[in-house]
Amino acid sequence: MNKPNIAVLGATGVVGREILKILVEQNVPYNEIKFLASAKSAGKKITFKGEEHTIIEATPEAFDGVNIVLASAGASTSKALAPEAVKRGCVFIDNSSAYRMDKDCPLVIVGVNDEDLKKHKGIIPNPNCSTSQLMLVLKPLHDYAKIKRLIVSTYQAVSGAGLAAINELKENTVAANEGKDFENVKFKKPIAYNVIPQIDVFCENGYTKEEMKVTNETRKILHLGEDVPISCTAVRVPVFHGHSEAVTIEFEKEISAQKAKELLEKAWGVEVMDDTENYVYPTPVDAAGKDPVYVGRIRKNIAFDNAIDLWCVADNIRIGAALNTVRIAQKVIEMKLY
């Protein structure tokens, strides 16, 4: 099969720029590449692999001749353009929430459920950032002992809410340090020196949309039945990059903390940092700019039978968004699914 023609949609955004960086790092094979964005960015120049390219407006016609689209331009844009791209023969790898729970679209974390890619009908959604890092940790444990119950608390960096959120943390922190008033726009509460127990809007059941994404996407990716209870609390913290998660997993069969640690040490995409006697455990600073999901504080849970508690951290812009998008593209090429 010939090398694919690739398009990056949303090439000027935070995740889009990271996708470009990872395409170079991973040396993804392609024949031609084009860079698509909104009309506002069309005509601007972008440098990729030392060459200057002109950004093209993302219209349906822009997908003519393209085989694989790596998209990170928001749900409304994906809803409008994904069907147009598929009509033109593209595989549309979508970083938004638009198609994640669509029954006809496989939701994939590479290294976890690659075989689901074979079911695609043109659109392959990339999971939510906090779900993404969690799956690489849960998969080897689930394969060994089968998940019976899952409780997750996330501590999410502001970069997950985009460039405006990063700027708001910077500006809010400066204002707080100088004792000046500050009007928060991106967040419902001040983010500087604060934690906010809300990410996205609240649903009728009292959970937020972000919390339900983790719940529903985990179930779909790991093919868990409705009889497996999953609960999530998602919190925004004043950190620029790197999501952290405190996770409690109850299993069908017995599993020791040592066995869980051994499984995770062998797991693809995971790195264990767990030596509490010497204060070795992962933090967002450890994960910044890196590919693995880091795991520590692995211990036997004392509240549930056959349960493990752990702490995991990852760079949310990389594994949570751009890296898995590129990995999906690599798998689509490798498995000849375009």
Side-chain angles (χ1 to χ4, degrees):
M1 184 178 281
N2 294 327
K3 292 177 183 177
N5 294 330
I6 290 175
V8 179
L9 172 60
T12 58
V14 173
V15 175
R17 289 198 298 269
E18 196 70 18
I19 285 172
L20 300 185
K21 201 160 90 178
I22 295 169
L23 284 171
V24 176
E25 291 171 4
Q26 300 284 329
N27 196 25
V28 176
Y30 62 86
N31 177 39
E32 294 179 356
I33 189 165
K34 61 171 72 171
F35 306 93
L36 311 179
S38 65
K40 188 172 68 176
S41 297
K44 292 180 181 176
K45 302 295 181 181
I46 192 167
T47 301
F48 181 72
K49 286 191 174 180
E51 292 183 7
E52 196 173 67
H53 299 261
T54 302
I55 295 170
I56 300 165
E57 183 179 354
T59 63
E61 294 71 30
F63 298 106
D64 289 338
V66 174
N67 303 115
I68 298 174
V69 181
L70 291 84
S72 188
S76 59
T77 300
S78 289
K79 282 178 181 174
L81 292 177
E84 294 294 337
V86 172
K87 257 191 241 176
R88 290 163 170 78
C90 300
V91 177
F92 193 94
I93 303 169
D94 183 27
N95 231 314
S96 82
S97 61
Y99 294 98
R100 286 176 186 154
M101 298 313 298
D102 189 310
K103 61 180 175 56
D104 291 326
C105 299
L107 190 63
V108 174
I109 292 293
V110 172
V112 174
N113 60 328
D114 299 1
E115 286 298 303
D116 287 353
L117 286 171
K118 294 176 180 177
K119 303 172 188 172
H120 89 76
K121 298 179 180 179
I123 299 172
I124 305 171
N126 186 45
N128 178 47
C129 50
S130 44
T131 309
S132 297
Q133 70 186 70
L134 182 62
M135 295 304 97
L136 287 166
V137 175
L138 292 185
K139 171 66 173 171
L141 301 176
H142 178 58
D143 285 349
Y144 177 81
K146 196 176 179 189
I147 294 170
K148 181 180 178 181
R149 184 198 318 262
L150 179 66
I151 302 169
V152 184
S153 296
T154 73
Y155 307 87
Q156 297 180 220
V158 296
S159 54
L163 187 57
I166 293 172
N167 290 336
E168 185 158 315
L169 174 55
K170 289 178 183 175
E171 292 160 11
N172 192 178
T173 303
V174 170
N177 288 343
E178 296 177 354
K180 295 178 179 176
D181 291 337
F182 181 82
E183 185 179 352
N184 43 285
V185 176
K186 191 68 183 176
F187 301 112
K188 299 297 183 186
K189 304 278 185 179
I191 186 62
Y193 305 108
N194 202 14
V195 295
I196 304 171
Q198 178 188 356
I199 300 177
D200 216 322
V201 297
F202 285 100
C203 305
E204 286 184 9
N205 63 0
Y207 284 77
T208 63
K209 195 173 174 184
E210 177 78 5
E211 291 160 352
M212 293 312 300
K213 283 178 190 175
V214 173
T215 299
N216 295 329
E217 292 175 22
T218 297
R219 199 179 300 284
K220 183 174 181 178
I221 294 165
L222 293 179
H223 304 288
L224 299 175
E226 292 294 330
D227 58 331
V228 177
I230 304 172
S231 180
C232 176
T233 299
V235 180
R236 188 73 71 189
V237 295
V239 169
F240 287 117
H241 296 287
H243 288 354
S244 304
E245 298 177 345
V247 188
T248 297
I249 319 126
E250 186 180 10
F251 296 94
E252 293 284 352
K253 68 182 244 187
E254 187 176 352
I255 180 172
S256 67
Q258 183 57 37
K259 183 62 181 179
K261 188 173 179 178
E262 288 170 7
L263 291 167
L264 291 167
E265 284 174 336
K266 295 173 185 172
W268 182 82
V270 173
E271 190 165 316
V272 173
M273 293 177 66
D274 195 345
D275 179 6
T276 51
E277 284 187 15
N278 293 299
Y279 312 108
V280 175
Y281 41 75
T283 68
V285 170
D286 299 308
K290 297 173 186 171
D291 291 348
V293 179
Y294 295 89
V295 187
R297 301 288 319 278
I298 303 164
R299 61 203 187 276
K300 193 77 173 166
N301 178 279
I302 57 175
F304 298 117
D305 292 334
N306 302 334
I308 294 291
D309 286 321
L310 57 81
W311 172 259
C312 70
V313 179
D315 185 320
N316 55 296
I317 300 297
R318 287 185 72 87
I319 182 59
L323 181 60
N324 194 60
T325 300
V326 174
R327 283 174 172 170
I328 290 172
Q330 289 174 299
K331 276 292 172 186
V332 166
I333 294 167
E334 180 189 311
M335 296 168 75
K336 300 179 181 177
L337 297 174
Y338 67 96

